[in-house]
Amino acid sequence: MSEMLKFPQDNTDFNVALSTSLVLFGFDGAQLQLLLARSQREPFKDALFLPSRYLEAQDELMLSARSMFHGLFGYDEPEIIEQLKAFGGVFRHPIGRVVNVAFYALVRKDDFLAEKWEQHGMQWSPIDRIPDLAFDHNEIVAYAKERLKRRVKRRPVGFHLMPPEFTLGQLQTLYEQALGKTFDKRNFRKKLFKSPLLTDLERKATGREKGQHKGSSLFTFDRDRYQRMKSEGYDFLF
Amino acid sequence: MSEMLKFPQDNTDFNVALSTSLVLFGFDGAQLQLLLARSQREPFKDALFLPSRYLEAQDELMLSARSMFHGLFGYDEPEIIEQLKAFGGVFRHPIGRVVNVAFYALVRKDDFLAEKWEQHGMQWSPIDRIPDLAFDHNEIVAYAKERLKRRVKRRPVGFHLMPPEFTLGQLQTLYEQALGKTFDKRNFRKKLFKSPLLTDLERKATGREKGQHKGSSLFTFDRDRYQRMKSEGYDFLF
DNA sequence: CCAAAAGTGTTACCCGTACACCCATGG
DNA sequence: CCATGGGTGTACGGGTAACACTTTTGG
């Protein structure tokens, strides 16, 4: 009974393993997607799951997630990466227990090292049509989508997901898919222009980029301004 | 490199231990508080920390948290208990790694088995004056307070924290402490009466209960009604 | 010429906020 | 009688939501 009052130097049970999984959101110009791996070997051939790896005992949770990210994208860290929570409900290893700590991150899809990974069965999947995944990974994805919904309302996620130049139509698509509802075009624009983070590039889209309609105006996010305003206490709100 | 693509049957590293900690919020009629333990033995004598225990390898995370809760309160589960996230940044055990999965719960302070635990150094501490805690438990508390802020806005937390009968003054105190700001009395009442969950008991407080001013009206929450409305899609919003 | 998306203002309603006075009680 | 909290209504402003038509472009 007073185990609760002891500092954890006693009675420890070191036969748990930790894995980390990543829920990586990307936007290809028209669709919000996430990255899945496909097992290419028996006994789970073709099963889909989230990019995952074991944590070595000395690793920090976040560093483990970042290093996995590095393997996939070739640089050290995405701008947005955050722990979701621990998921422990499903997988039992013959040797002990596996608990999975999941992270989510927002990425530029272009940065993905596709040549390197596609041959290993990795692929992007539209967020509204995620197939059955192994383990409890569907539950993790559902949790991540909820987290994303909250972040979309409080952070200019376009910074991290959109290509450097984009149209307002694309941005609206992103918001609609992330929040799971549609918006009136005029109201959407009004709302976004309340914050001064969107810069009109005064150029028109050629229509060659995915999801860009020819002739519509191109915008970009003003990162510097956002940094300055944030340090003065500004809070983005959608 | 293709570790990421393997199912987790290989290369596991079973020398991690998991602990669970509880951030237990209670309200004594006048103050929002949380429950702390005090170590009574060397080498950490007098250190304060969150109620914590080791997870045995076969335990579910949530069940472990609930069973610790049972030890403290004598019944199986609080109405609100939720995982926060995994905290792994601080403690290194000589044998391996300890990762702490924290939970938060809302409780009726009266239910705490005080006679049983006070002699073991457990005590309630006001939320706005939490002392230095061992490990990274201050960080956990900070995270839990943020979670509580969000929940206060979306759930009728009064159900779970308030005594069965309370005054509007008490309820306002709770909201003010949880959200860290003050409210105008009239606006506060207006806001709460938008939802029909508050029942006027048509009796007056005697002034004997802590935090109740004599003569003010007593209210209770209509649990049944909340259940019915919730099943019809109602969402509480403060 | 047809389809698809871009672009553009106004109105109504709701909600949040600000604000002041009198009453009841206990000390 | 003084201090503390209870109890009550109104008015303004900002934000959200609803709503339709014309233009550009590619096919």
Side-chain angles (χ1 to χ4, degrees), chain A residues 8 14 54 59-60 83 86 97, chain B residues 8 14 54 59 83 86 97:
Chain A
F14 284 95
Y54 279 98
D59 293 349
E60 293 299 333
Q83 192 200 125
R97 174 73 178 288
Chain B
F14 283 95
Y54 280 99
D59 293 348
Q83 192 201 123
R97 175 73 177 287

Side-chain angles (χ1 to χ4, degrees), chain A residues 184-187 190-191 194 213-215:
Chain A
D184 176 272
K185 215 184 333 175
R186 285 165 289 192
N187 295 337
K190 238 182 298 172
K191 206 164 182 175
K194 271 191 312 187
H213 193 261
K214 174 160 177 176

Side-chain angles (χ1 to χ4, degrees), chain B residues 153-176:
Chain B
K153 294 192 178 253
R154 302 246 146 218
R155 301 268 150 79
V157 294
F159 278 119
H160 314 108
L161 286 168
M162 297 301 273
E165 306 185 346
F166 52 87
T167 67
L168 292 177
Q170 287 180 303
L171 193 59
Q172 183 169 347
T173 301
L174 173 64
Y175 273 79
E176 290 180 344

Side-chain angles (χ1 to χ4, degrees), chain A residues 28 44 80 94 102 107 129 167 170 187 193 199 224:
Chain A
D28 72 355
F44 296 107
I80 300 292
V107 303
R129 258 170 286 128
T167 67
Q170 287 180 302
N187 295 337
F193 286 120
T199 308
D224 293 345

Side-chain angles (χ1 to χ4, degrees), chain A residues 1-18 37 39 41 43-44 47 49 51-52 54-61 68 72 83-89 91-93 95-99 101 116-117 120 122 134-135 143 147 150, chain B residues 1-18 37 39 41 43-44 47 49 51-52 54-61 68 72 83-89 91-93 95-99 101 116-117 120 122 134-135 143 147 150:
Chain A
M1 130 167 170
S2 55
E3 275 145 49
M4 207 171 315
L5 302 173
K6 286 179 192 165
F7 265 46
Q9 59 268 36
D10 317 304
N11 305 329
T12 47
D13 196 3
F14 284 95
N15 55 352
V16 175
L18 287 180
S39 174
R41 303 178 323 174
F44 296 107
F49 58 104
S52 305
Y54 279 98
L55 186 90
E56 313 212 357
Q58 75 281 4
D59 293 349
E60 293 299 333
L61 296 169
M68 177 162 39
L72 293 165
Q83 192 200 125
L84 295 167
K85 68 170 188 177
F87 292 83
F91 187 66
R92 291 293 179 281
H93 191 285
I95 306 174
R97 174 73 178 288
V98 178
V99 168
V101 179
K116 181 173 166 191
W117 288 107
H120 292 283
M122 298 198 97
F135 312 118
Y143 195 89
R147 180 72 59 101
R150 287 210 313 274
Chain B
M1 131 170 168
S2 54
E3 276 146 47
M4 207 171 312
L5 302 173
K6 287 178 191 162
F7 265 49
Q9 60 268 35
D10 317 305
N11 307 329
T12 48
D13 197 4
F14 283 95
N15 55 353
V16 174
L18 287 180
S39 174
R41 301 179 324 175
F44 297 108
F49 58 104
S52 304
Y54 280 99
L55 187 89
E56 315 211 356
Q58 75 280 4
D59 293 348
E60 292 299 334
L61 296 170
M68 178 162 38
L72 293 166
Q83 192 201 123
L84 295 168
K85 69 171 188 176
F87 292 83
F91 188 66
R92 292 292 180 282
H93 191 284
I95 306 176
R97 175 73 177 287
V98 178
V99 168
V101 179
K116 182 173 166 189
W117 288 107
H120 292 283
M122 300 199 97
F135 311 118
Y143 194 90
R147 180 72 59 101
R150 288 211 312 275

